[in-house]
Amino acid sequence: MKQPLDQQAHDVARLLISQQQRIIFAESCTAGLVSAVLGRVPGVSGVHCGSAVVYRLDTKTKWLGVPPDILVDPGPVSECVARLMVEGVLARTPEATMAASITGHLGPGAPSAQDGLVYIGVGFRNKPAQIFEHHLTNIDAMTQFPGATLREQRQWAAADLVLRETLKVLSSGASAS
């Protein structure tokens, strides 16, 4: 049976394999979903290093080295934190050649300016990460994703965006030295 995000995961796996890249994820609001989706692809174990699920602020600091003051200002849902998550997870995973991160606020209870806001970082070792900002506010556009609640649908939509941005970066040849 076809699962959500199968095509994106297969496309990412194919490029990782063909480019001999190994990826590690740092996931906050997706709580490991991106890694789980990629892990369903047969043969991906040679290129998929895993995921650091850093949902809480203290975990971002302890596991990835994100400075506590950055988590206060500009805050955990920021371009800066997405970049530091990429750098931190790569620093702690020597076998990985690239990383993707996601941080965001999927609601409910998000401040209105951050409701549905996510930042995705994708980067290669020793190169600046590319950061992508997305707003998951259009409910109609997310009806393709499973979930009984808006939060669940947003989580699937966010995982989809991580895979799509990773695919875009891999396809652009950004890893070439």
Side-chain angles (χ1 to χ4, degrees):
M1 176 169 69
K2 186 167 171 60
Q3 297 289 316
L5 312 185
D6 270 352
Q7 188 59 56
Q8 296 88 315
H10 278 85
D11 291 346
V12 167
R14 179 182 46 78
L15 281 179
L16 288 168
I17 292 166
S18 71
Q19 294 181 20
Q20 299 179 343
Q21 298 291 338
R22 289 180 308 281
I23 196 165
I24 182 75
F25 296 98
E27 298 183 65
S28 185
C29 61
T30 52
L33 183 59
V34 179
S35 181
V37 167
L38 186 61
R40 292 192 311 239
V41 177
V44 78
S45 62
V47 295
H48 179 23
C49 299
S51 183
V53 178
V54 290
Y55 208 76
R56 295 183 44 82
L57 299 181
D58 195 48
T59 311
K60 287 175 181 67
T61 297
K62 297 269 187 336
W63 288 14
L64 302 183
V66 177
D69 59 317
I70 297 293
L71 294 169
V72 173
D73 185 22
V77 180
S78 62
E79 179 179 331
C80 177
V81 169
R83 184 179 319 285
L84 289 168
M85 288 171 65
V86 166
E87 294 169 3
V89 78
L90 277 171
R92 286 152 181 83
T93 314
E95 68 174 327
T97 58
M98 69 177 300
S101 70
I102 184 163
T103 185
H105 208 320
L106 303 181
S112 61
Q114 290 188 342
D115 187 34
L117 176 64
V118 296
Y119 288 93
I120 296 165
V122 182
F124 295 92
R125 187 171 300 284
N126 301 320
K127 292 187 179 182
Q130 295 181 51
I131 307 300
F132 306 93
E133 178 182 323
H134 293 278
H135 298 267
L136 304 174
T137 53
N138 186 344
I139 297 169
D140 293 337
M142 289 187 283
T143 56
Q144 65 180 322
F145 297 110
T149 67
L150 178 59
R151 179 181 177 77
E152 290 175 61
Q153 290 176 348
R154 282 179 172 177
Q155 201 168 41
W156 280 98
D160 175 63
L161 287 169
V162 173
L163 291 170
R164 288 181 188 277
E165 296 297 4
T166 301
L167 187 60
K168 185 176 7 175
V169 170
L170 284 166
S171 296
S172 74
S175 64
S177 299

PDB file of all heavy atoms in Angstrom, residues 89-129:
ATOM      1  N   VAL A  89      24.107  18.899  14.363  1.00  0.00           N
ATOM      2  CA  VAL A  89      23.920  17.467  14.101  1.00  0.00           C
ATOM      3  C   VAL A  89      25.046  16.928  13.214  1.00  0.00           C
ATOM      4  O   VAL A  89      25.474  15.784  13.373  1.00  0.00           O
ATOM      5  CB  VAL A  89      22.506  17.166  13.546  1.00  0.00           C
ATOM      6  CG1 VAL A  89      22.379  17.501  12.065  1.00  0.00           C
ATOM      7  CG2 VAL A  89      22.085  15.743  13.841  1.00  0.00           C
ATOM      8  N   LEU A  90      25.559  17.743  12.302  1.00  0.00           N
ATOM      9  CA  LEU A  90      26.713  17.313  11.503  1.00  0.00           C
ATOM     10  C   LEU A  90      27.965  17.167  12.363  1.00  0.00           C
ATOM     11  O   LEU A  90      28.739  16.215  12.181  1.00  0.00           O
ATOM     12  CB  LEU A  90      26.974  18.297  10.358  1.00  0.00           C
ATOM     13  CG  LEU A  90      26.136  18.106   9.114  1.00  0.00           C
ATOM     14  CD1 LEU A  90      26.329  19.272   8.142  1.00  0.00           C
ATOM     15  CD2 LEU A  90      26.448  16.791   8.424  1.00  0.00           C
ATOM     16  N   ALA A  91      28.155  18.072  13.304  1.00  0.00           N
ATOM     17  CA  ALA A  91      29.327  18.002  14.185  1.00  0.00           C
ATOM     18  C   ALA A  91      29.318  16.726  15.025  1.00  0.00           C
ATOM     19  O   ALA A  91      30.376  16.206  15.375  1.00  0.00           O
ATOM     20  CB  ALA A  91      29.376  19.229  15.085  1.00  0.00           C
ATOM     21  N   ARG A  92      28.140  16.215  15.321  1.00  0.00           N
ATOM     22  CA  ARG A  92      28.015  15.036  16.180  1.00  0.00           C
ATOM     23  C   ARG A  92      27.823  13.741  15.404  1.00  0.00           C
ATOM     24  O   ARG A  92      27.653  12.681  16.000  1.00  0.00           O
ATOM     25  CB  ARG A  92      26.873  15.251  17.161  1.00  0.00           C
ATOM     26  CG  ARG A  92      27.289  16.239  18.247  1.00  0.00           C
ATOM     27  CD  ARG A  92      26.128  17.009  18.826  1.00  0.00           C
ATOM     28  NE  ARG A  92      26.568  17.955  19.842  1.00  0.00           N
ATOM     29  CZ  ARG A  92      27.051  19.156  19.589  1.00  0.00           C
ATOM     30  NH1 ARG A  92      27.191  19.583  18.355  1.00  0.00           N
ATOM     31  NH2 ARG A  92      27.417  19.967  20.566  1.00  0.00           N
ATOM     32  N   THR A  93      27.849  13.827  14.085  1.00  0.00           N
ATOM     33  CA  THR A  93      27.657  12.642  13.245  1.00  0.00           C
ATOM     34  C   THR A  93      28.737  12.632  12.162  1.00  0.00           C
ATOM     35  O   THR A  93      28.496  13.018  11.021  1.00  0.00           O
ATOM     36  CB  THR A  93      26.248  12.658  12.596  1.00  0.00           C
ATOM     37  OG1 THR A  93      25.273  12.999  13.579  1.00  0.00           O
ATOM     38  CG2 THR A  93      25.913  11.294  11.995  1.00  0.00           C
ATOM     39  N   PRO A  94      29.936  12.164  12.505  1.00  0.00           N
ATOM     40  CA  PRO A  94      31.057  12.236  11.561  1.00  0.00           C
ATOM     41  C   PRO A  94      30.822  11.518  10.233  1.00  0.00           C
ATOM     42  O   PRO A  94      31.374  11.919   9.211  1.00  0.00           O
ATOM     43  CB  PRO A  94      32.213  11.577  12.326  1.00  0.00           C
ATOM     44  CG  PRO A  94      31.828  11.656  13.754  1.00  0.00           C
ATOM     45  CD  PRO A  94      30.333  11.629  13.801  1.00  0.00           C
ATOM     46  N   GLU A  95      30.010  10.460  10.227  1.00  0.00           N
ATOM     47  CA  GLU A  95      29.799   9.727   8.976  1.00  0.00           C
ATOM     48  C   GLU A  95      28.881  10.465   7.998  1.00  0.00           C
ATOM     49  O   GLU A  95      28.875  10.171   6.807  1.00  0.00           O
ATOM     50  CB  GLU A  95      29.240   8.336   9.258  1.00  0.00           C
ATOM     51  CG  GLU A  95      27.825   8.356   9.805  1.00  0.00           C
ATOM     52  CD  GLU A  95      27.218   6.971   9.952  1.00  0.00           C
ATOM     53  OE1 GLU A  95      27.537   6.080   9.145  1.00  0.00           O
ATOM     54  OE2 GLU A  95      26.418   6.808  10.873  1.00  0.00           O
ATOM     55  N   ALA A  96      28.099  11.420   8.477  1.00  0.00           N
ATOM     56  CA  ALA A  96      27.168  12.142   7.610  1.00  0.00           C
ATOM     57  C   ALA A  96      27.917  13.184   6.791  1.00  0.00           C
ATOM     58  O   ALA A  96      28.830  13.848   7.280  1.00  0.00           O
ATOM     59  CB  ALA A  96      26.084  12.812   8.445  1.00  0.00           C
ATOM     60  N   THR A  97      27.484  13.337   5.548  1.00  0.00           N
ATOM     61  CA  THR A  97      28.064  14.364   4.675  1.00  0.00           C
ATOM     62  C   THR A  97      27.129  15.563   4.533  1.00  0.00           C
ATOM     63  O   THR A  97      27.543  16.605   4.049  1.00  0.00           O
ATOM     64  CB  THR A  97      28.345  13.792   3.274  1.00  0.00           C
ATOM     65  OG1 THR A  97      27.119  13.293   2.717  1.00  0.00           O
ATOM     66  CG2 THR A  97      29.385  12.667   3.346  1.00  0.00           C
ATOM     67  N   MET A  98      25.871  15.361   4.935  1.00  0.00           N
ATOM     68  CA  MET A  98      24.900  16.451   4.858  1.00  0.00           C
ATOM     69  C   MET A  98      23.854  16.274   5.940  1.00  0.00           C
ATOM     70  O   MET A  98      23.728  15.196   6.530  1.00  0.00           O
ATOM     71  CB  MET A  98      24.242  16.520   3.477  1.00  0.00           C
ATOM     72  CG  MET A  98      23.322  15.382   3.149  1.00  0.00           C
ATOM     73  SD  MET A  98      22.489  15.539   1.522  1.00  0.00           S
ATOM     74  CE  MET A  98      21.572  17.056   1.715  1.00  0.00           C
ATOM     75  N   ALA A  99      23.100  17.346   6.186  1.00  0.00           N
ATOM     76  CA  ALA A  99      22.052  17.301   7.203  1.00  0.00           C
ATOM     77  C   ALA A  99      20.876  18.153   6.761  1.00  0.00           C
ATOM     78  O   ALA A  99      21.018  19.086   5.972  1.00  0.00           O
ATOM     79  CB  ALA A  99      22.578  17.817   8.544  1.00  0.00           C
ATOM     80  N   ALA A 100      19.716  17.792   7.321  1.00  0.00           N
ATOM     81  CA  ALA A 100      18.523  18.616   7.156  1.00  0.00           C
ATOM     82  C   ALA A 100      17.916  18.803   8.539  1.00  0.00           C
ATOM     83  O   ALA A 100      17.913  17.879   9.356  1.00  0.00           O
ATOM     84  CB  ALA A 100      17.518  17.958   6.211  1.00  0.00           C
ATOM     85  N   SER A 101      17.423  20.000   8.795  1.00  0.00           N
ATOM     86  CA  SER A 101      16.814  20.299  10.093  1.00  0.00           C
ATOM     87  C   SER A 101      15.446  20.927   9.881  1.00  0.00           C
ATOM     88  O   SER A 101      15.168  21.495   8.819  1.00  0.00           O
ATOM     89  CB  SER A 101      17.693  21.263  10.901  1.00  0.00           C
ATOM     90  OG  SER A 101      17.685  22.558  10.316  1.00  0.00           O
ATOM     91  N   ILE A 102      14.628  20.826  10.914  1.00  0.00           N
ATOM     92  CA  ILE A 102      13.350  21.529  10.901  1.00  0.00           C
ATOM     93  C   ILE A 102      12.998  21.960  12.313  1.00  0.00           C
ATOM     94  O   ILE A 102      13.167  21.206  13.270  1.00  0.00           O
ATOM     95  CB  ILE A 102      12.204  20.711  10.280  1.00  0.00           C
ATOM     96  CG1 ILE A 102      10.924  21.579  10.232  1.00  0.00           C
ATOM     97  CG2 ILE A 102      12.011  19.387  11.001  1.00  0.00           C
ATOM     98  CD1 ILE A 102       9.856  21.075   9.318  1.00  0.00           C
ATOM     99  N   THR A 103      12.544  23.192  12.404  1.00  0.00           N
ATOM    100  CA  THR A 103      12.027  23.734  13.647  1.00  0.00           C
ATOM    101  C   THR A 103      10.809  24.571  13.289  1.00  0.00           C
ATOM    102  O   THR A 103      10.770  25.203  12.233  1.00  0.00           O
ATOM    103  CB  THR A 103      13.095  24.570  14.396  1.00  0.00           C
ATOM    104  OG1 THR A 103      12.572  24.974  15.658  1.00  0.00           O
ATOM    105  CG2 THR A 103      13.591  25.756  13.602  1.00  0.00           C
ATOM    106  N   GLY A 104       9.800  24.526  14.125  1.00  0.00           N
ATOM    107  CA  GLY A 104       8.594  25.271  13.804  1.00  0.00           C
ATOM    108  C   GLY A 104       7.562  25.200  14.898  1.00  0.00           C
ATOM    109  O   GLY A 104       7.774  24.561  15.937  1.00  0.00           O
ATOM    110  N   HIS A 105       6.455  25.859  14.656  1.00  0.00           N
ATOM    111  CA  HIS A 105       5.343  25.862  15.612  1.00  0.00           C
ATOM    112  C   HIS A 105       4.093  25.437  14.855  1.00  0.00           C
ATOM    113  O   HIS A 105       3.586  26.159  14.012  1.00  0.00           O
ATOM    114  CB  HIS A 105       5.151  27.255  16.222  1.00  0.00           C
ATOM    115  CG  HIS A 105       4.564  27.226  17.589  1.00  0.00           C
ATOM    116  ND1 HIS A 105       3.556  26.355  17.955  1.00  0.00           N
ATOM    117  CD2 HIS A 105       4.846  27.952  18.692  1.00  0.00           C
ATOM    118  CE1 HIS A 105       3.235  26.563  19.207  1.00  0.00           C
ATOM    119  NE2 HIS A 105       4.013  27.526  19.686  1.00  0.00           N
ATOM    120  N   LEU A 106       3.620  24.234  15.141  1.00  0.00           N
ATOM    121  CA  LEU A 106       2.500  23.667  14.396  1.00  0.00           C
ATOM    122  C   LEU A 106       1.153  23.867  15.078  1.00  0.00           C
ATOM    123  O   LEU A 106       0.128  23.483  14.532  1.00  0.00           O
ATOM    124  CB  LEU A 106       2.749  22.175  14.152  1.00  0.00           C
ATOM    125  CG  LEU A 106       4.046  21.857  13.410  1.00  0.00           C
ATOM    126  CD1 LEU A 106       4.180  20.355  13.189  1.00  0.00           C
ATOM    127  CD2 LEU A 106       4.139  22.608  12.096  1.00  0.00           C
ATOM    128  N   GLY A 107       1.155  24.465  16.266  1.00  0.00           N
ATOM    129  CA  GLY A 107      -0.092  24.718  16.982  1.00  0.00           C
ATOM    130  C   GLY A 107      -0.606  23.449  17.644  1.00  0.00           C
ATOM    131  O   GLY A 107       0.023  22.405  17.550  1.00  0.00           O
ATOM    132  N   PRO A 108      -1.688  23.539  18.333  1.00  0.00           N
ATOM    133  CA  PRO A 108      -2.427  24.766  18.635  1.00  0.00           C
ATOM    134  C   PRO A 108      -1.708  25.589  19.694  1.00  0.00           C
ATOM    135  O   PRO A 108      -0.741  25.121  20.287  1.00  0.00           O
ATOM    136  CB  PRO A 108      -3.770  24.243  19.156  1.00  0.00           C
ATOM    137  CG  PRO A 108      -3.440  22.934  19.783  1.00  0.00           C
ATOM    138  CD  PRO A 108      -2.300  22.358  18.956  1.00  0.00           C
ATOM    139  N   GLY A 109      -2.182  26.756  19.915  1.00  0.00           N
ATOM    140  CA  GLY A 109      -1.626  27.615  20.949  1.00  0.00           C
ATOM    141  C   GLY A 109      -0.405  28.399  20.530  1.00  0.00           C
ATOM    142  O   GLY A 109       0.262  29.001  21.374  1.00  0.00           O
ATOM    143  N   ALA A 110      -0.106  28.409  19.259  1.00  0.00           N
ATOM    144  CA  ALA A 110       1.047  29.173  18.784  1.00  0.00           C
ATOM    145  C   ALA A 110       0.719  30.659  18.778  1.00  0.00           C
ATOM    146  O   ALA A 110      -0.423  31.041  18.527  1.00  0.00           O
ATOM    147  CB  ALA A 110       1.408  28.736  17.375  1.00  0.00           C
ATOM    148  N   PRO A 111       1.712  31.498  19.046  1.00  0.00           N
ATOM    149  CA  PRO A 111       1.495  32.928  18.844  1.00  0.00           C
ATOM    150  C   PRO A 111       1.081  33.146  17.385  1.00  0.00           C
ATOM    151  O   PRO A 111       1.584  32.454  16.494  1.00  0.00           O
ATOM    152  CB  PRO A 111       2.868  33.542  19.118  1.00  0.00           C
ATOM    153  CG  PRO A 111       3.629  32.511  19.878  1.00  0.00           C
ATOM    154  CD  PRO A 111       3.070  31.184  19.478  1.00  0.00           C
ATOM    155  N   SER A 112       0.185  34.058  17.126  1.00  0.00           N
ATOM    156  CA  SER A 112      -0.369  34.212  15.773  1.00  0.00           C
ATOM    157  C   SER A 112       0.717  34.400  14.705  1.00  0.00           C
ATOM    158  O   SER A 112       0.589  33.886  13.603  1.00  0.00           O
ATOM    159  CB  SER A 112      -1.377  35.350  15.721  1.00  0.00           C
ATOM    160  OG  SER A 112      -0.762  36.563  16.075  1.00  0.00           O
ATOM    161  N   ALA A 113       1.790  35.085  15.024  1.00  0.00           N
ATOM    162  CA  ALA A 113       2.858  35.312  14.052  1.00  0.00           C
ATOM    163  C   ALA A 113       3.637  34.032  13.741  1.00  0.00           C
ATOM    164  O   ALA A 113       4.302  33.950  12.714  1.00  0.00           O
ATOM    165  CB  ALA A 113       3.816  36.379  14.557  1.00  0.00           C
ATOM    166  N   GLN A 114       3.558  33.051  14.627  1.00  0.00           N
ATOM    167  CA  GLN A 114       4.313  31.807  14.426  1.00  0.00           C
ATOM    168  C   GLN A 114       3.422  30.607  14.137  1.00  0.00           C
ATOM    169  O   GLN A 114       3.918  29.509  13.933  1.00  0.00           O
ATOM    170  CB  GLN A 114       5.170  31.507  15.656  1.00  0.00           C
ATOM    171  CG  GLN A 114       6.317  32.444  15.836  1.00  0.00           C
ATOM    172  CD  GLN A 114       7.235  31.996  16.951  1.00  0.00           C
ATOM    173  OE1 GLN A 114       6.882  31.197  17.799  1.00  0.00           O
ATOM    174  NE2 GLN A 114       8.437  32.530  16.945  1.00  0.00           N
ATOM    175  N   ASP A 115       2.133  30.784  14.088  1.00  0.00           N
ATOM    176  CA  ASP A 115       1.227  29.662  13.861  1.00  0.00           C
ATOM    177  C   ASP A 115       1.462  29.060  12.482  1.00  0.00           C
ATOM    178  O   ASP A 115       1.244  29.711  11.462  1.00  0.00           O
ATOM    179  CB  ASP A 115      -0.227  30.113  13.998  1.00  0.00           C
ATOM    180  CG  ASP A 115      -1.199  28.952  13.951  1.00  0.00           C
ATOM    181  OD1 ASP A 115      -0.854  27.866  14.440  1.00  0.00           O
ATOM    182  OD2 ASP A 115      -2.302  29.137  13.400  1.00  0.00           O
ATOM    183  N   GLY A 116       1.953  27.832  12.443  1.00  0.00           N
ATOM    184  CA  GLY A 116       2.237  27.160  11.182  1.00  0.00           C
ATOM    185  C   GLY A 116       3.562  27.530  10.541  1.00  0.00           C
ATOM    186  O   GLY A 116       3.861  27.095   9.427  1.00  0.00           O
ATOM    187  N   LEU A 117       4.386  28.295  11.217  1.00  0.00           N
ATOM    188  CA  LEU A 117       5.678  28.730  10.684  1.00  0.00           C
ATOM    189  C   LEU A 117       6.730  27.645  10.910  1.00  0.00           C
ATOM    190  O   LEU A 117       6.869  27.133  12.026  1.00  0.00           O
ATOM    191  CB  LEU A 117       6.119  30.026  11.371  1.00  0.00           C
ATOM    192  CG  LEU A 117       7.493  30.582  10.997  1.00  0.00           C
ATOM    193  CD1 LEU A 117       7.552  30.977   9.524  1.00  0.00           C
ATOM    194  CD2 LEU A 117       7.814  31.788  11.895  1.00  0.00           C
ATOM    195  N   VAL A 118       7.461  27.281   9.851  1.00  0.00           N
ATOM    196  CA  VAL A 118       8.564  26.338   9.982  1.00  0.00           C
ATOM    197  C   VAL A 118       9.786  26.873   9.247  1.00  0.00           C
ATOM    198  O   VAL A 118       9.664  27.584   8.241  1.00  0.00           O
ATOM    199  CB  VAL A 118       8.218  24.923   9.450  1.00  0.00           C
ATOM    200  CG1 VAL A 118       7.113  24.278  10.260  1.00  0.00           C
ATOM    201  CG2 VAL A 118       7.882  24.928   7.981  1.00  0.00           C
ATOM    202  N   TYR A 119      10.951  26.519   9.778  1.00  0.00           N
ATOM    203  CA  TYR A 119      12.227  26.801   9.129  1.00  0.00           C
ATOM    204  C   TYR A 119      12.914  25.469   8.890  1.00  0.00           C
ATOM    205  O   TYR A 119      13.024  24.640   9.798  1.00  0.00           O
ATOM    206  CB  TYR A 119      13.125  27.687   9.999  1.00  0.00           C
ATOM    207  CG  TYR A 119      12.652  29.113  10.077  1.00  0.00           C
ATOM    208  CD1 TYR A 119      11.821  29.538  11.100  1.00  0.00           C
ATOM    209  CD2 TYR A 119      13.037  30.040   9.105  1.00  0.00           C
ATOM    210  CE1 TYR A 119      11.374  30.845  11.162  1.00  0.00           C
ATOM    211  CE2 TYR A 119      12.604  31.350   9.163  1.00  0.00           C
ATOM    212  CZ  TYR A 119      11.777  31.749  10.193  1.00  0.00           C
ATOM    213  OH  TYR A 119      11.333  33.041  10.262  1.00  0.00           O
ATOM    214  N   ILE A 120      13.384  25.292   7.675  1.00  0.00           N
ATOM    215  CA  ILE A 120      14.071  24.074   7.272  1.00  0.00           C
ATOM    216  C   ILE A 120      15.479  24.464   6.856  1.00  0.00           C
ATOM    217  O   ILE A 120      15.666  25.407   6.081  1.00  0.00           O
ATOM    218  CB  ILE A 120      13.338  23.404   6.091  1.00  0.00           C
ATOM    219  CG1 ILE A 120      11.938  22.967   6.546  1.00  0.00           C
ATOM    220  CG2 ILE A 120      14.148  22.228   5.542  1.00  0.00           C
ATOM    221  CD1 ILE A 120      11.007  22.621   5.421  1.00  0.00           C
ATOM    222  N   GLY A 121      16.450  23.738   7.366  1.00  0.00           N
ATOM    223  CA  GLY A 121      17.836  23.934   6.966  1.00  0.00           C
ATOM    224  C   GLY A 121      18.337  22.699   6.243  1.00  0.00           C
ATOM    225  O   GLY A 121      18.032  21.582   6.659  1.00  0.00           O
ATOM    226  N   VAL A 122      19.076  22.891   5.173  1.00  0.00           N
ATOM    227  CA  VAL A 122      19.702  21.783   4.452  1.00  0.00           C
ATOM    228  C   VAL A 122      21.119  22.211   4.133  1.00  0.00           C
ATOM    229  O   VAL A 122      21.330  23.284   3.550  1.00  0.00           O
ATOM    230  CB  VAL A 122      18.957  21.418   3.144  1.00  0.00           C
ATOM    231  CG1 VAL A 122      19.629  20.228   2.459  1.00  0.00           C
ATOM    232  CG2 VAL A 122      17.477  21.136   3.406  1.00  0.00           C
ATOM    233  N   GLY A 123      22.085  21.394   4.544  1.00  0.00           N
ATOM    234  CA  GLY A 123      23.463  21.790   4.306  1.00  0.00           C
ATOM    235  C   GLY A 123      24.412  20.620   4.249  1.00  0.00           C
ATOM    236  O   GLY A 123      24.112  19.523   4.717  1.00  0.00           O
ATOM    237  N   PHE A 124      25.557  20.887   3.676  1.00  0.00           N
ATOM    238  CA  PHE A 124      26.628  19.913   3.561  1.00  0.00           C
ATOM    239  C   PHE A 124      27.734  20.270   4.530  1.00  0.00           C
ATOM    240  O   PHE A 124      27.902  21.431   4.896  1.00  0.00           O
ATOM    241  CB  PHE A 124      27.174  19.896   2.119  1.00  0.00           C
ATOM    242  CG  PHE A 124      26.154  19.424   1.121  1.00  0.00           C
ATOM    243  CD1 PHE A 124      25.333  20.336   0.481  1.00  0.00           C
ATOM    244  CD2 PHE A 124      25.996  18.084   0.850  1.00  0.00           C
ATOM    245  CE1 PHE A 124      24.372  19.921  -0.428  1.00  0.00           C
ATOM    246  CE2 PHE A 124      25.036  17.650  -0.053  1.00  0.00           C
ATOM    247  CZ  PHE A 124      24.229  18.568  -0.683  1.00  0.00           C
ATOM    248  N   ARG A 125      28.498  19.292   4.913  1.00  0.00           N
ATOM    249  CA  ARG A 125      29.608  19.504   5.837  1.00  0.00           C
ATOM    250  C   ARG A 125      30.539  20.593   5.292  1.00  0.00           C
ATOM    251  O   ARG A 125      30.863  20.604   4.104  1.00  0.00           O
ATOM    252  CB  ARG A 125      30.367  18.189   6.024  1.00  0.00           C
ATOM    253  CG  ARG A 125      31.421  18.257   7.092  1.00  0.00           C
ATOM    254  CD  ARG A 125      32.004  16.890   7.404  1.00  0.00           C
ATOM    255  NE  ARG A 125      31.008  15.951   7.871  1.00  0.00           N
ATOM    256  CZ  ARG A 125      30.466  15.934   9.099  1.00  0.00           C
ATOM    257  NH1 ARG A 125      30.822  16.861   9.980  1.00  0.00           N
ATOM    258  NH2 ARG A 125      29.584  15.020   9.435  1.00  0.00           N
ATOM    259  N   ASN A 126      30.927  21.498   6.157  1.00  0.00           N
ATOM    260  CA  ASN A 126      31.863  22.585   5.833  1.00  0.00           C
ATOM    261  C   ASN A 126      31.342  23.578   4.793  1.00  0.00           C
ATOM    262  O   ASN A 126      32.121  24.242   4.123  1.00  0.00           O
ATOM    263  CB  ASN A 126      33.224  22.023   5.387  1.00  0.00           C
ATOM    264  CG  ASN A 126      33.844  21.165   6.462  1.00  0.00           C
ATOM    265  OD1 ASN A 126      33.782  21.478   7.648  1.00  0.00           O
ATOM    266  ND2 ASN A 126      34.416  20.035   6.057  1.00  0.00           N
ATOM    267  N   LYS A 127      30.013  23.659   4.662  1.00  0.00           N
ATOM    268  CA  LYS A 127      29.402  24.652   3.776  1.00  0.00           C
ATOM    269  C   LYS A 127      28.222  25.262   4.512  1.00  0.00           C
ATOM    270  O   LYS A 127      27.573  24.587   5.314  1.00  0.00           O
ATOM    271  CB  LYS A 127      28.915  24.007   2.481  1.00  0.00           C
ATOM    272  CG  LYS A 127      30.041  23.515   1.604  1.00  0.00           C
ATOM    273  CD  LYS A 127      29.524  23.054   0.290  1.00  0.00           C
ATOM    274  CE  LYS A 127      30.694  22.593  -0.568  1.00  0.00           C
ATOM    275  NZ  LYS A 127      30.282  22.160  -1.882  1.00  0.00           N
ATOM    276  N   PRO A 128      27.900  26.512   4.236  1.00  0.00           N
ATOM    277  CA  PRO A 128      26.737  27.123   4.895  1.00  0.00           C
ATOM    278  C   PRO A 128      25.440  26.424   4.484  1.00  0.00           C
ATOM    279  O   PRO A 128      25.248  26.085   3.317  1.00  0.00           O
ATOM    280  CB  PRO A 128      26.748  28.568   4.400  1.00  0.00           C
ATOM    281  CG  PRO A 128      28.059  28.779   3.733  1.00  0.00           C
ATOM    282  CD  PRO A 128      28.601  27.438   3.358  1.00  0.00           C
ATOM    283  N   ALA A 129      24.577  26.216   5.454  1.00  0.00           N
ATOM    284  CA  ALA A 129      23.272  25.607   5.176  1.00  0.00           C
ATOM    285  C   ALA A 129      22.370  26.593   4.456  1.00  0.00           C
ATOM    286  O   ALA A 129      22.449  27.800   4.673  1.00  0.00           O
ATOM    287  CB  ALA A 129      22.622  25.161   6.481  1.00  0.00           C
TER     288      ALA A 129
END
